[in-house]
Amino acid sequence: MKKDLHPTTYRPVVFQDLNNGTTYLTRSTVATDDKIALDGTEYPLVKVHISSSSHPFFTGEERIIDIEGRVDKFKARAAAGAAAKEQRAAAAQKTAKRAALKAEKAADKIVDKTEK
């Protein structure tokens, strides 16, 4: 085995959850400058944002996410897009009809002039 392979800074450390203030005393090699007094003894302190005491998976709490609102917004955008597409199609048909009538009138005028 290699010599001096394992860290030498293995010591008791307190991890504190910032969400609910829960503290855990365990052994670790993590480096920190913060300290906390726990049970009359001073230990190095590591602050964590989430731990098993505050994580929804471990606590069984489910946080409500506004999925329904997102779905409703998506459906509203899809409906608005479909309505806009129908309006464009109707406008294109109307324009095509007008162009066809105009061409028909122009053809009738030419026929009338040739008949005279």
PDB file of all heavy atoms in Angstrom, residues 7 24 29 40 50 77 86 89 97 99 102-103 111:
ATOM      1  N   PRO A   7      -6.155  11.229   3.885  1.00  0.00           N
ATOM      2  CA  PRO A   7      -5.981  12.577   4.428  1.00  0.00           C
ATOM      3  C   PRO A   7      -5.749  12.541   5.950  1.00  0.00           C
ATOM      4  O   PRO A   7      -6.247  11.663   6.652  1.00  0.00           O
ATOM      5  CB  PRO A   7      -7.294  13.276   4.108  1.00  0.00           C
ATOM      6  CG  PRO A   7      -8.267  12.202   3.854  1.00  0.00           C
ATOM      7  CD  PRO A   7      -7.491  11.026   3.364  1.00  0.00           C
ATOM      8  N   TYR A  24     -25.766  18.642  11.999  1.00  0.00           N
ATOM      9  CA  TYR A  24     -25.315  17.252  11.997  1.00  0.00           C
ATOM     10  C   TYR A  24     -23.846  17.238  12.384  1.00  0.00           C
ATOM     11  O   TYR A  24     -23.038  17.940  11.784  1.00  0.00           O
ATOM     12  CB  TYR A  24     -25.456  16.625  10.598  1.00  0.00           C
ATOM     13  CG  TYR A  24     -26.874  16.560  10.106  1.00  0.00           C
ATOM     14  CD1 TYR A  24     -27.369  17.523   9.238  1.00  0.00           C
ATOM     15  CD2 TYR A  24     -27.707  15.535  10.504  1.00  0.00           C
ATOM     16  CE1 TYR A  24     -28.680  17.455   8.788  1.00  0.00           C
ATOM     17  CE2 TYR A  24     -29.011  15.464  10.053  1.00  0.00           C
ATOM     18  CZ  TYR A  24     -29.483  16.435   9.195  1.00  0.00           C
ATOM     19  OH  TYR A  24     -30.780  16.365   8.751  1.00  0.00           O
ATOM     20  N   THR A  29     -13.264  15.806   6.113  1.00  0.00           N
ATOM     21  CA  THR A  29     -11.990  16.455   5.808  1.00  0.00           C
ATOM     22  C   THR A  29     -12.196  17.832   5.193  1.00  0.00           C
ATOM     23  O   THR A  29     -11.240  18.475   4.789  1.00  0.00           O
ATOM     24  CB  THR A  29     -11.165  15.607   4.817  1.00  0.00           C
ATOM     25  OG1 THR A  29     -11.916  15.466   3.614  1.00  0.00           O
ATOM     26  CG2 THR A  29     -10.835  14.252   5.397  1.00  0.00           C
ATOM     27  N   GLY A  40     -21.094  22.352  24.241  1.00  0.00           N
ATOM     28  CA  GLY A  40     -19.953  22.840  25.009  1.00  0.00           C
ATOM     29  C   GLY A  40     -18.610  22.650  24.331  1.00  0.00           C
ATOM     30  O   GLY A  40     -17.583  22.986  24.890  1.00  0.00           O
ATOM     31  N   ILE A  50     -29.129  22.694   1.460  1.00  0.00           N
ATOM     32  CA  ILE A  50     -30.185  21.685   1.544  1.00  0.00           C
ATOM     33  C   ILE A  50     -29.588  20.398   2.085  1.00  0.00           C
ATOM     34  O   ILE A  50     -28.432  20.068   1.813  1.00  0.00           O
ATOM     35  CB  ILE A  50     -30.858  21.465   0.166  1.00  0.00           C
ATOM     36  CG1 ILE A  50     -32.156  20.733   0.315  1.00  0.00           C
ATOM     37  CG2 ILE A  50     -29.930  20.785  -0.796  1.00  0.00           C
ATOM     38  CD1 ILE A  50     -33.075  20.907  -0.858  1.00  0.00           C
ATOM     39  N   ARG A  77     -51.794  29.738 -26.244  1.00  0.00           N
ATOM     40  CA  ARG A  77     -50.923  30.135 -27.359  1.00  0.00           C
ATOM     41  C   ARG A  77     -51.205  29.283 -28.589  1.00  0.00           C
ATOM     42  O   ARG A  77     -51.222  29.793 -29.719  1.00  0.00           O
ATOM     43  CB  ARG A  77     -49.452  29.989 -26.959  1.00  0.00           C
ATOM     44  CG  ARG A  77     -48.943  31.093 -26.098  1.00  0.00           C
ATOM     45  CD  ARG A  77     -47.416  31.126 -26.038  1.00  0.00           C
ATOM     46  NE  ARG A  77     -46.799  29.843 -25.820  1.00  0.00           N
ATOM     47  CZ  ARG A  77     -46.456  29.347 -24.637  1.00  0.00           C
ATOM     48  NH1 ARG A  77     -46.690  30.025 -23.549  1.00  0.00           N
ATOM     49  NH2 ARG A  77     -45.871  28.162 -24.543  1.00  0.00           N
ATOM     50  N   GLU A  86     -55.990  30.445 -39.416  1.00  0.00           N
ATOM     51  CA  GLU A  86     -57.276  30.454 -40.122  1.00  0.00           C
ATOM     52  C   GLU A  86     -57.568  31.820 -40.723  1.00  0.00           C
ATOM     53  O   GLU A  86     -58.060  31.923 -41.854  1.00  0.00           O
ATOM     54  CB  GLU A  86     -58.404  30.040 -39.174  1.00  0.00           C
ATOM     55  CG  GLU A  86     -58.383  28.569 -38.812  1.00  0.00           C
ATOM     56  CD  GLU A  86     -59.425  28.221 -37.760  1.00  0.00           C
ATOM     57  OE1 GLU A  86     -60.269  29.090 -37.433  1.00  0.00           O
ATOM     58  OE2 GLU A  86     -59.399  27.082 -37.272  1.00  0.00           O
ATOM     59  N   ALA A  89     -55.477  32.267 -43.804  1.00  0.00           N
ATOM     60  CA  ALA A  89     -56.007  31.453 -44.909  1.00  0.00           C
ATOM     61  C   ALA A  89     -57.249  32.109 -45.492  1.00  0.00           C
ATOM     62  O   ALA A  89     -57.412  32.155 -46.725  1.00  0.00           O
ATOM     63  CB  ALA A  89     -56.322  30.045 -44.415  1.00  0.00           C
ATOM     64  N   LYS A  97     -59.959  35.420 -54.565  1.00  0.00           N
ATOM     65  CA  LYS A  97     -61.274  35.626 -55.189  1.00  0.00           C
ATOM     66  C   LYS A  97     -61.346  36.974 -55.880  1.00  0.00           C
ATOM     67  O   LYS A  97     -61.835  37.093 -57.003  1.00  0.00           O
ATOM     68  CB  LYS A  97     -62.370  35.560 -54.121  1.00  0.00           C
ATOM     69  CG  LYS A  97     -63.237  34.358 -54.175  1.00  0.00           C
ATOM     70  CD  LYS A  97     -64.362  34.493 -53.167  1.00  0.00           C
ATOM     71  CE  LYS A  97     -64.895  33.133 -52.817  1.00  0.00           C
ATOM     72  NZ  LYS A  97     -65.969  33.165 -51.851  1.00  0.00           N
ATOM     73  N   ALA A  99     -58.878  38.760 -57.003  1.00  0.00           N
ATOM     74  CA  ALA A  99     -58.017  38.756 -58.188  1.00  0.00           C
ATOM     75  C   ALA A  99     -58.704  38.015 -59.334  1.00  0.00           C
ATOM     76  O   ALA A  99     -58.643  38.457 -60.499  1.00  0.00           O
ATOM     77  CB  ALA A  99     -56.679  38.108 -57.850  1.00  0.00           C
ATOM     78  N   LYS A 102     -61.462  40.258 -60.714  1.00  0.00           N
ATOM     79  CA  LYS A 102     -60.856  41.365 -61.461  1.00  0.00           C
ATOM     80  C   LYS A 102     -60.388  40.875 -62.836  1.00  0.00           C
ATOM     81  O   LYS A 102     -60.602  41.544 -63.861  1.00  0.00           O
ATOM     82  CB  LYS A 102     -59.683  41.925 -60.665  1.00  0.00           C
ATOM     83  CG  LYS A 102     -59.177  43.248 -61.132  1.00  0.00           C
ATOM     84  CD  LYS A 102     -58.132  43.771 -60.165  1.00  0.00           C
ATOM     85  CE  LYS A 102     -57.716  45.168 -60.516  1.00  0.00           C
ATOM     86  NZ  LYS A 102     -56.688  45.692 -59.615  1.00  0.00           N
ATOM     87  N   ALA A 103     -59.779  39.710 -62.863  1.00  0.00           N
ATOM     88  CA  ALA A 103     -59.308  39.150 -64.133  1.00  0.00           C
ATOM     89  C   ALA A 103     -60.501  38.819 -65.028  1.00  0.00           C
ATOM     90  O   ALA A 103     -60.459  39.035 -66.252  1.00  0.00           O
ATOM     91  CB  ALA A 103     -58.477  37.892 -63.876  1.00  0.00           C
ATOM     92  N   VAL A 111     -63.618  41.283 -74.320  1.00  0.00           N
ATOM     93  CA  VAL A 111     -64.576  40.629 -75.197  1.00  0.00           C
ATOM     94  C   VAL A 111     -65.580  41.647 -75.696  1.00  0.00           C
ATOM     95  O   VAL A 111     -65.973  41.654 -76.880  1.00  0.00           O
ATOM     96  CB  VAL A 111     -65.267  39.459 -74.464  1.00  0.00           C
ATOM     97  CG1 VAL A 111     -66.424  38.906 -75.284  1.00  0.00           C
ATOM     98  CG2 VAL A 111     -64.272  38.355 -74.176  1.00  0.00           C
TER      99      VAL A 111
END
